Amino acid sequence: MTFAEMTRLLFPRANFGMKLGLERMHKALALLGDPHKAAPVLHVAGTNGKGSTCAFTEAALAAAGMRVGLYTSPHLRHFCERIRIRGEDLGEEEAAALFDEIVTRVPWALDNEGLTFFELATAMAFLAFARAPVDVMIIEVGLGGRLDATNVVEPLACAIASLGLDHTQHLGPTLADVAREKAGICKRFAPLVSAAQPLVAVQVLEEAAGRARVPLWLPGRDYGFEGRDGQPFTYSGPAWRVQAEPVLAGSHQRGNAALACALLEAAAERGLRVEPAQAAVGLQQARWPGRLQLVSESPLVVLDGCHNPHAAEALARSLPALLGGRPLQLVFGALADKDAAAMLQELAPLAAGVHLCAPASPRAQPAAPLVAAARAAAPKTSVTVYKSAAEALEAARAAAFPKGAVLCCGSLYLVGELLAVLAGDKLGTMPGERL
């Protein structure tokens, strides 16, 4: 099977809708020899910051000399970004071979009631990691946690990144509902470490840890870190002390760096061979595109995948230190199921100009209806609508030239599209998943 043939079979599976639940995954993985049990697993859930936490963790374990498998979603530009082994994306030929093996050994995989897009991608990751083989798997939850396809693992330790209201149609309308679904990754024997959370979420996590009879590590109680801009970053855990400046920009990344350190320390207590010095290297060498990613300096152009109000608030807090007084042009596009108005409420007042566009996705929110929201958020700011993200970026760069700044955000799909534009790639060569 070729990679092109694989994509023709795999990507339409995203149109089948979401099928939360673990029964299909357990059956499929049993037919594949249970590859998810081939190496120790670190399992990471959360609303915002889980990908960055995984990236910090991956780099630390690589510094410890381990062969690391990293599974994340969604991809920005290419499907194979989702499955990384020793820091390298899966090759197209290998991806096609894995997919071919799965649909051969799981004969019902492509039936109407078979595996979804995400379930197939997750099975491919587990099989790739087992075949490599890797010494440790870092598995990012796709959606929620309790019924997510990745929740078949028996992890060495688990982490919950910052929680907020997102995907409420699937996870429930309140923060307690969201926390309950995310806490579903908590398992017996696996310590649970958490980023800073609102009290209602902490109470839910405490209950989940209690039922599983595992410790819950909370910042300010069980571990600490320096979160202020301009101060040297330090993580202080029960036994570890890590001093290193996180390479990923933004004050919110300090919390993600600390969570990664806590996850590593908790895993080390259960036998994973990693030390504080290697965690420090990981904070300095992590690679995670599309998160406050600097792509140009004259004018300054930054891409960030923030896609919900909670992330927009964190991004807004990080901008003053990043911009250094430069006037800001905002390029913004979002998906239809996101609260774009609330995101604009956080970001538009910081901008001298707002450039609205629709990401290249069937789920994109049209840009024109966002004009009222942008003007309500920033009445004195100019607001313009563009036919494409490329046109919005071009206009924003012209407005910012030479000493201003451009921030492009609102959706990971927008970031992936603009990364392709900036690289001169053709759009549409790699579809994005619908969910």
Side-chain angles (χ1 to χ4, degrees):
M1 180 181 293
T2 67
F3 184 76
E5 290 169 337
M6 184 203 88
T7 60
R8 285 196 292 270
L9 291 171
L10 174 61
F11 280 87
R13 305 295 298 180
N15 298 327
F16 281 47
M18 188 173 299
K19 300 177 182 178
L20 294 174
L22 303 178
E23 184 179 356
R24 290 181 306 278
M25 280 299 291
H26 278 300
K27 288 181 178 178
L29 291 171
L31 292 172
L32 296 171
D34 287 330
H36 59 302
K37 299 179 180 179
V41 172
L42 302 181
H43 204 190
V44 182
T47 306
N48 294 307
K50 60 183 185 289
S52 299
T53 300
C54 289
F56 284 129
T57 304
E58 176 198 34
L61 295 175
M66 297 187 197
R67 292 171 60 94
V68 184
L70 174 63
Y71 177 57
T72 60
S73 60
H75 59 268
L76 290 177
R77 294 173 57 194
H78 195 287
F79 173 83
C80 290
E81 296 166 10
R82 295 166 179 258
I83 303 172
R84 217 152 78 178
I85 298 174
R86 298 191 75 171
E88 297 293 330
D89 296 345
L90 192 70
E92 289 188 355
E93 288 186 9
E94 186 178 3
L98 290 166
F99 182 82
D100 193 22
E101 180 174 352
I102 289 169
V103 298
T104 299
R105 296 176 63 182
V106 184
W108 46 267
L110 298 182
D111 292 349
N112 285 344
E113 296 302 317
L115 298 175
T116 66
F117 173 99
F118 187 73
E119 288 169 336
L120 284 160
T122 303
M124 289 170 65
F126 287 138
L127 199 56
F129 297 156
R131 292 285 168 76
V134 300
D135 300 313
V136 61
M137 306 180 196
I138 304 169
I139 305 296
E140 180 193 19
V141 168
L143 176 69
R146 181 175 64 93
L147 298 176
D148 185 75
T150 66
N151 204 29
V152 293
V153 299
E154 293 294 333
L156 197 64
C158 299
I160 306 287
S162 183
L163 296 178
L165 292 177
D166 200 6
H167 299 294
T168 52
Q169 71 273 35
H170 301 292
L171 306 182
T174 71
L175 190 59
D177 293 324
V178 172
R180 201 166 290 115
E181 291 299 318
K182 306 284 186 182
I185 69 169
C186 187
K187 303 283 200 321
R188 192 74 187 274
F189 305 118
L192 180 65
V193 303
S194 175
Q197 311 288 3
L199 180 59
V200 64
V202 170
Q203 292 170 338
V204 171
L205 297 182
E206 291 274 21
E207 292 168 3
R211 287 193 298 271
R213 298 182 183 178
V214 295
L216 170 65
W217 293 24
L218 294 171
R221 187 187 73 182
D222 305 288
Y223 71 90
F225 66 96
E226 176 55 70
R228 294 172 296 175
D229 283 330
Q231 300 296 318
F233 176 84
T234 303
Y235 164 83
S236 300
W240 279 23
R241 184 174 176 83
V242 178
Q243 290 182 294
E245 199 59 34
V247 68
L248 301 182
S251 56
H252 55 288
Q253 292 292 3
R254 289 177 167 235
N256 298 330
L259 181 63
C261 289
L263 177 61
L264 290 162
E265 183 175 7
E269 288 187 354
R270 293 200 65 201
L272 194 66
R273 290 179 295 176
V274 60
E275 299 175 356
Q278 294 152 350
V281 173
L283 299 189
Q284 295 172 315
Q285 295 186 352
R287 184 168 54 87
W288 198 230
R291 281 71 177 180
L292 278 181
Q293 181 179 353
L294 176 66
V295 295
S296 171
E297 295 201 8
S298 184
L300 187 76
V301 178
V302 176
L303 307 182
D304 191 82
C306 96
H307 54 276
N308 55 54
H310 187 231
E313 182 183 0
L315 176 58
R317 287 197 304 269
S318 295
L319 282 178
L322 182 70
L323 298 180
R326 296 177 181 87
L328 177 67
Q329 300 292 324
L330 175 67
V331 174
F332 184 88
L335 297 189
D337 59 346
K338 303 300 180 182
D339 192 347
M343 287 190 274
L344 286 167
Q345 194 68 38
E346 295 288 343
L347 297 167
L350 305 176
V354 175
H355 308 262
L356 299 172
C357 58
S361 165
R363 293 172 49 223
Q365 189 164 161
L370 297 180
V371 171
R375 287 181 175 155
K380 296 183 180 180
T381 299
S382 66
V383 180
T384 311
V385 174
Y386 299 87
K387 293 181 180 179
S388 70
E391 290 179 10
L393 175 60
E394 183 180 5
R397 293 178 79 170
F401 185 82
K403 296 184 178 180
V406 177
L407 170 66
C408 308
C409 65
S411 169
L412 281 166
Y413 292 85
L414 178 70
V415 169
E417 181 180 352
L418 291 178
L419 283 172
V421 168
L422 290 164
D425 293 347
K426 285 185 178 180
L427 295 178
T429 58
M430 177 55 54
E433 67 175 295
R434 289 199 58 193
L435 296 179

